[in-house]
mmCIF file of all heavy atoms in Angstrom:
data_model
loop_
_atom_site.group_PDB
_atom_site.id
_atom_site.type_symbol
_atom_site.label_atom_id
_atom_site.label_comp_id
_atom_site.label_asym_id
_atom_site.label_seq_id
_atom_site.Cartn_x
_atom_site.Cartn_y
_atom_site.Cartn_z
ATOM 1 N N LYS Y 468 14.045 22.740 -1.163
ATOM 2 C CA LYS Y 468 13.245 21.586 -1.558
ATOM 3 C C LYS Y 468 13.285 20.534 -0.472
ATOM 4 O O LYS Y 468 14.362 20.173 -0.007
ATOM 5 C CB LYS Y 468 13.825 20.963 -2.829
ATOM 6 C CG LYS Y 468 13.318 21.571 -4.092
ATOM 7 C CD LYS Y 468 13.459 20.618 -5.247
ATOM 8 C CE LYS Y 468 14.833 20.665 -5.858
ATOM 9 N NZ LYS Y 468 14.860 20.084 -7.207
ATOM 10 N N PHE Y 483 10.306 18.578 -7.702
ATOM 11 C CA PHE Y 483 10.993 19.165 -8.843
ATOM 12 C C PHE Y 483 11.241 20.653 -8.642
ATOM 13 O O PHE Y 483 12.290 21.180 -8.991
ATOM 14 C CB PHE Y 483 10.167 18.936 -10.103
ATOM 15 C CG PHE Y 483 10.759 19.549 -11.336
ATOM 16 C CD1 PHE Y 483 11.920 19.032 -11.884
ATOM 17 C CD2 PHE Y 483 10.162 20.644 -11.936
ATOM 18 C CE1 PHE Y 483 12.477 19.600 -13.017
ATOM 19 C CE2 PHE Y 483 10.714 21.218 -13.066
ATOM 20 C CZ PHE Y 483 11.875 20.693 -13.613
ATOM 21 N N ASN Y 484 10.280 21.334 -8.075
ATOM 22 C CA ASN Y 484 10.333 22.792 -8.064
ATOM 23 C C ASN Y 484 9.399 23.303 -6.973
ATOM 24 O O ASN Y 484 8.238 22.896 -6.915
ATOM 25 C CB ASN Y 484 9.871 23.289 -9.444
ATOM 26 C CG ASN Y 484 10.186 24.739 -9.667
ATOM 27 O OD1 ASN Y 484 10.112 25.538 -8.740
ATOM 28 N ND2 ASN Y 484 10.540 25.089 -10.894
ATOM 29 N N ILE Y 485 9.880 24.190 -6.125
ATOM 30 C CA ILE Y 485 9.029 24.689 -5.032
ATOM 31 C C ILE Y 485 8.129 25.841 -5.472
ATOM 32 O O ILE Y 485 7.221 26.236 -4.750
ATOM 33 C CB ILE Y 485 9.860 25.176 -3.825
ATOM 34 C CG1 ILE Y 485 10.659 26.443 -4.169
ATOM 35 C CG2 ILE Y 485 10.785 24.074 -3.320
ATOM 36 C CD1 ILE Y 485 11.218 27.157 -2.944
ATOM 37 N N THR Y 486 8.423 26.393 -6.659
ATOM 38 C CA THR Y 486 7.745 27.619 -7.092
ATOM 39 C C THR Y 486 6.224 27.491 -7.009
ATOM 40 O O THR Y 486 5.536 28.372 -6.495
ATOM 41 C CB THR Y 486 8.136 27.923 -8.550
ATOM 42 O OG1 THR Y 486 9.553 27.809 -8.653
ATOM 43 C CG2 THR Y 486 7.708 29.312 -8.947
ATOM 44 N N ASP Y 487 5.722 26.387 -7.535
ATOM 45 C CA ASP Y 487 4.267 26.234 -7.591
ATOM 46 C C ASP Y 487 3.659 26.082 -6.198
ATOM 47 O O ASP Y 487 2.606 26.663 -5.913
ATOM 48 C CB ASP Y 487 3.882 25.070 -8.515
ATOM 49 C CG ASP Y 487 4.589 23.774 -8.171
ATOM 50 O OD1 ASP Y 487 5.706 23.817 -7.618
ATOM 51 O OD2 ASP Y 487 4.014 22.704 -8.444
ATOM 52 N N TRP Y 512 5.186 34.287 -7.132
ATOM 53 C CA TRP Y 512 5.579 32.931 -7.557
ATOM 54 C C TRP Y 512 4.716 32.410 -8.704
ATOM 55 O O TRP Y 512 4.884 31.280 -9.149
ATOM 56 C CB TRP Y 512 5.460 31.952 -6.377
ATOM 57 C CG TRP Y 512 6.297 32.318 -5.191
ATOM 58 C CD1 TRP Y 512 5.921 33.067 -4.117
ATOM 59 C CD2 TRP Y 512 7.663 31.949 -4.951
ATOM 60 N NE1 TRP Y 512 6.950 33.182 -3.219
ATOM 61 C CE2 TRP Y 512 8.037 32.504 -3.703
ATOM 62 C CE3 TRP Y 512 8.604 31.200 -5.668
ATOM 63 C CZ2 TRP Y 512 9.308 32.341 -3.153
ATOM 64 C CZ3 TRP Y 512 9.867 31.024 -5.123
ATOM 65 C CH2 TRP Y 512 10.210 31.601 -3.876
ATOM 66 N N PHE Y 513 3.783 33.209 -9.143
ATOM 67 C CA PHE Y 513 2.809 32.718 -10.126
ATOM 68 C C PHE Y 513 3.469 32.393 -11.471
ATOM 69 O O PHE Y 513 4.309 33.139 -11.972
ATOM 70 C CB PHE Y 513 1.708 33.773 -10.337
ATOM 71 C CG PHE Y 513 0.653 33.302 -11.293
ATOM 72 C CD1 PHE Y 513 -0.324 32.407 -10.886
ATOM 73 C CD2 PHE Y 513 0.650 33.730 -12.623
ATOM 74 C CE1 PHE Y 513 -1.284 31.947 -11.769
ATOM 75 C CE2 PHE Y 513 -0.307 33.271 -13.516
ATOM 76 C CZ PHE Y 513 -1.272 32.376 -13.084
ATOM 77 N N ASP Y 514 3.076 31.282 -12.047
ATOM 78 C CA ASP Y 514 3.620 30.846 -13.339
ATOM 79 C C ASP Y 514 2.470 30.723 -14.337
ATOM 80 O O ASP Y 514 1.603 29.862 -14.176
ATOM 81 C CB ASP Y 514 4.312 29.481 -13.157
ATOM 82 C CG ASP Y 514 4.930 28.967 -14.451
ATOM 83 O OD1 ASP Y 514 4.735 29.596 -15.508
ATOM 84 O OD2 ASP Y 514 5.597 27.914 -14.398
ATOM 85 N N SER Y 516 2.565 29.805 -17.482
ATOM 86 C CA SER Y 516 2.761 28.937 -18.647
ATOM 87 C C SER Y 516 1.872 27.691 -18.567
ATOM 88 O O SER Y 516 1.433 27.303 -17.485
ATOM 89 C CB SER Y 516 4.236 28.556 -18.777
ATOM 90 O OG SER Y 516 4.721 28.111 -17.541
ATOM 91 N N ILE Y 527 0.490 23.940 -10.836
ATOM 92 C CA ILE Y 527 0.469 25.180 -11.619
ATOM 93 C C ILE Y 527 -0.942 25.507 -12.096
ATOM 94 O O ILE Y 527 -1.408 26.648 -11.968
ATOM 95 C CB ILE Y 527 1.464 25.064 -12.798
ATOM 96 C CG1 ILE Y 527 2.898 25.123 -12.258
ATOM 97 C CG2 ILE Y 527 1.230 26.177 -13.823
ATOM 98 C CD1 ILE Y 527 3.987 24.871 -13.291
HETATM 99 C C1 NAG M 803 10.743 26.392 -11.316
HETATM 100 O O1 NAG M 803 9.595 26.864 -11.979
HETATM 101 C C2 NAG M 803 9.677 28.236 -12.358
HETATM 102 C C3 NAG M 803 8.373 28.626 -12.976
HETATM 103 O O2 NAG M 803 7.309 27.961 -12.434
HETATM 104 C C4 NAG M 803 10.816 28.437 -13.326
HETATM 105 O O3 NAG M 803 10.933 29.812 -13.616
HETATM 106 C C5 NAG M 803 12.089 27.942 -12.709
HETATM 107 O O4 NAG M 803 13.118 27.993 -13.644
HETATM 108 C C6 NAG M 803 11.921 26.511 -12.244
HETATM 109 N N1 NAG M 803 13.107 26.052 -11.575
HETATM 110 C C7 NAG M 803 13.694 24.899 -11.882
HETATM 111 C C8 NAG M 803 14.886 24.536 -11.073
HETATM 112 O O5 NAG M 803 13.285 24.174 -12.758
#
Side-chain angles (χ1 to χ4, degrees):
K468 273 203 276 198
F483 178 70
N484 194 324
I485 68 166
T486 312
D487 53 332
W512 301 92
F513 182 78
D514 181 354
S516 49
I527 288 174

